[in-house]
Amino acid sequence: MRTNTFVGAATLATAALLPAAPAGASSAVPTPPSQVTVSLVQVNGSGCRPGSASVAVSQDNTAFTVTYSEYLAQVGKGAKPVDFRKNCQLGLRVNVPQGYTYAVFQADYRGFLSLERGASATQKSSYYFQGMAGTDRRSHAFRGPSKGDWQVSDRTGIEALVFAPCGTTRNFNINTELLVNGGSSDTERTNSFVAMDSTDGSFNTKYHFAWKKCPVR
């Protein structure tokens, strides 16, 4: 039975998912009228073997979700030495209607963890557009004893976003990582883990779009 809920969020008001955006970015632009699609064009990492990650776009074009089925890091009894760290690198092709461009202003991560006393875990993430300089990194820490659902968010203000360049196609890259440290816990007799996987879709990561209209040429 899953008990307790751990909720955290990035609180730096000036921190960004991506480098600073040009002036004039607006949060008042409505979502595109036709359906946006997102395709997984690259999937690499020990936490997301090919076929173990899927993506879906909300019908109202406000967000997309990524669901994993094998994303779990662990230490202790039953774990292999390499299992303490799992990572996933996703390359996403976001197809938007002509005349629009996008940024991601919030990312919500959810999962389940079980940490023995003395153990700890870390969730890391970074975001960048293909061919563009600058990668922002975020990190959230958990400490045992803990057991239950967890949720953290990376947020930024609209004034600090970078939008995909108009008129070109650039993959949106998301790198995530889960780590577990056994610390002073009894790793010979106990197991500690943090997971971001869900075979039934109950846990997923959600990325929220900000929209902007491209200049008319």
Side-chain angles (χ1 to χ4, degrees):
M1 179 178 178
R2 289 173 173 171
T3 59
N4 301 327
T5 299
F6 305 90
V7 180
T11 57
L12 297 178
T14 58
L17 292 180
L18 295 166
S26 172
S27 61
V29 175
T31 58
S34 54
Q35 185 63 44
V36 173
T37 63
V38 179
S39 303
L40 283 172
V41 296
Q42 180 182 358
V43 181
N44 290 313
S46 56
C48 58
R49 296 187 303 169
S52 68
S54 61
V55 62
V57 183
S58 63
Q59 292 186 349
D60 60 4
N61 290 336
T62 60
F64 67 91
T65 59
V66 178
T67 303
Y68 304 94
S69 62
E70 299 179 358
Y71 206 165
L72 180 147
Q74 60 178 327
V75 295
K77 187 176 180 179
K80 299 176 182 178
V82 297
D83 288 343
F84 80 98
R85 176 186 179 271
K86 297 291 181 178
N87 75 299
C88 185
Q89 302 176 3
L90 300 180
L92 301 165
R93 180 69 51 83
V94 181
N95 300 302
V96 303
Q98 186 174 2
Y100 285 84
T101 186
Y102 74 94
V104 171
F105 75 90
Q106 180 170 320
D108 301 325
Y109 295 91
R110 301 173 62 234
F112 187 80
L113 60 76
S114 179
L115 300 176
E116 295 293 322
R117 185 178 299 277
S120 62
T122 305
Q123 184 271 331
K124 297 181 179 181
S125 53
S126 63
Y127 318 82
Y128 64 97
F129 283 109
Q130 178 186 17
M132 297 179 66
T135 300
D136 189 59
R137 294 175 172 83
R138 299 295 183 90
S139 179
H140 303 275
F142 308 93
R143 296 190 181 280
S146 305
K147 186 174 183 179
D149 300 346
W150 62 267
Q151 178 176 334
V152 296
S153 294
D154 297 339
R155 300 188 183 98
T156 189
I158 194 70
E159 73 284 351
L161 291 173
V162 156
F163 287 79
C166 291
T168 63
T169 300
R170 301 280 182 93
N171 289 347
F172 183 59
N173 297 307
I174 301 172
N175 296 333
T176 57
E177 186 176 354
L178 296 176
L179 300 101
V180 182
N181 187 332
S184 61
S185 67
D186 186 352
T187 55
E188 294 294 326
R189 299 182 180 181
T190 65
N191 177 279
S192 293
F193 70 86
V194 58
M196 204 158 63
D197 59 8
S198 177
T199 56
D200 61 1
S202 58
F203 289 131
N204 55 45
T205 59
K206 188 173 185 179
Y207 301 90
H208 302 262
F209 285 123
W211 292 104
K212 181 180 175 183
K213 288 189 175 180
C214 295
V216 178
R217 297 184 179 182

